[in-house]
Amino acid sequence: VTALTTSGDGTVFVGGEFESAGGKDRYDLAELEGDSGAATTWSAGWFEPEDVHAIGVARHRVWIGGEDYGHALLSERDRDTGAWIGSLPYAHGDVRDLDASHGALHAAGGFTDIGGDAHRNLASWTPRPALLDSPRALGAVAEGETLTCTPGRWEGEPTGFSYAWLRDGDEIATGAQYVIAAADAGAELRCRVTARNRGGSDTATSAPAGSPAPPAPTDPPRITGT
């Protein structure tokens, strides 16, 4: 094990050179229960960098700093599933530490540039927005009534939103509000939100206008028994 970090919710992420961890098949990356050391369901699959130097965890993402074919590799994984999301630019030199606790991803190491830009030993990225709660199309569904699109709730501190309205999946208008027309009779109306920050953008679509709010948890689920 050459890298580890706590997740903030009772588990520990570890990285290194191994083929099993916590009693399960895990290749180089694993999430372990903090109290028992047992592996969780999180898995990055067959992840084979030459070295894993650092791990950073935010609510919806896991970043891995490693070395691949002589270049420092910064890989982005889904926090819930371990699925690969993407890779950040290659660094010229070693990335030895990652921190994701303040809304941005900070890297430290012995590098001189990242992605062709000069960054000596320290660099930061703003992760693109990640959806926490879906947008909603609010208002009475009747001709002449005005629907309003709420942006939902996002991680990553979006700096701006844009809105589009969809009729049966086809874009018909933009803006946060839409006045229902005669042509909308019998159609499904939704709004689509694009959230942006310095790190990029992502989109999310609401449930159909007039639908009830989706269930919201008041207490987390629990597993009981021996």
Side-chain angles (χ1 to χ4, degrees), residues 98-209:
L98 293 172
D99 179 81
S101 61
H102 299 285
L105 178 64
H106 307 286
F111 49 84
T112 56
D113 68 80
I114 291 182
D117 297 324
H119 295 280
R120 182 175 293 276
N121 303 333
L122 293 171
S124 295
W125 296 266
T126 301
R128 67 181 183 277
L131 183 68
L132 298 177
D133 291 316
S134 297
R136 296 183 62 194
L138 303 179
V141 183
E143 184 178 347
E145 296 290 340
T146 299
L147 297 176
T148 300
C149 186
T150 66
R153 196 162 61 93
W154 298 79
E155 182 181 56
E157 300 180 0
T159 56
F161 299 98
S162 58
Y163 304 87
W165 291 91
L166 310 177
R167 178 195 295 142
D168 291 336
D170 296 325
E171 184 174 325
I172 55 173
T174 59
Q177 293 186 318
Y178 175 71
V179 178
I180 298 176
D184 298 321
E188 184 179 80
L189 295 175
R190 299 173 184 258
C191 67
R192 183 177 63 211
V193 176
T194 301
R196 296 182 175 83
N197 64 13
R198 293 178 61 188
S201 64
D202 203 358
T203 61
T205 303
S206 73

Side-chain angles (χ1 to χ4, degrees), residues 27-55:
Y27 299 96
D28 298 341
L29 292 171
E31 181 186 23
L32 306 178
E33 296 288 353
D35 54 355
S36 67
T40 70
T41 58
W42 189 90
S43 174
W46 190 270
F47 186 76
E48 281 283 352
E50 290 183 290
D51 295 292
V52 176
H53 298 318
I55 304 174

Side-chain angles (χ1 to χ4, degrees), residues 198-226:
R198 293 178 61 188
S201 64
D202 203 358
T203 61
T205 303
S206 73
S211 297
T218 56
D219 293 300
R222 297 180 64 190
I223 298 174
T224 61
T226 303

